[in-house]
Amino acid sequence: MTRLHIHVGVSDLEQAIGFYSALFGVAPSKTKDDYAKWMLDDPRLNFAISTRVTPGVDHLGIQAEEEAEMTAMRERFQAADLSLFDEGDTACCYARSDKSWLRDPAGIAWETFRTMEDVQQFGGGGAESVNACCVPATETTKACCAGDA
């Protein structure tokens, strides 16, 4: 089963954790000095915040639990002739994941991913992208981890 993902940039992590914990009625399932994540079942949502991106909605996504779900999403996007950036195996947001990226007609980044394990660094890039972590750079935007290695 898939889960909606939203990543929001915040300027004050502690204040944001307090707000979103009250909003969702639970504490985050993962916290770091610059990051927090809630894995909610109602609504089925992976909601993440970090101080590493510009405040506001950074990107949206769909998280797959199984490799077959990830494969099916990629096949659906390719069949629809959507421009897909396959990032592959990468470390991002304190997790090792298999990722692909799309942009909607308004330019909003959509991440599709399957998380394999937790890791200790925010980002580290995948085989295809040196600084890939969160939204890949375009002509008008920079990656959230630009310069992060």
Side-chain angles (χ1 to χ4, degrees), residues 87-148:
E87 189 172 5
D89 189 342
T90 188
C92 178
C93 298
Y94 300 100
R96 187 173 73 82
S97 301
D98 178 17
K99 294 183 182 236
S100 294
W101 292 90
L102 306 149
R103 288 204 181 263
D104 77 2
I108 297 169
W110 278 85
E111 168 188 32
T112 58
F113 65 101
R114 182 178 66 88
T115 299
M116 281 84 79
E117 65 181 337
D118 284 345
V119 296
Q120 296 305 308
Q121 74 271 11
F122 184 84
E128 299 295 319
S129 181
V130 175
N131 287 323
C133 176
C134 303
V135 182
T138 67
E139 294 172 9
T140 58
T141 63
K142 64 180 184 173
C144 72
C145 298
D148 227 13

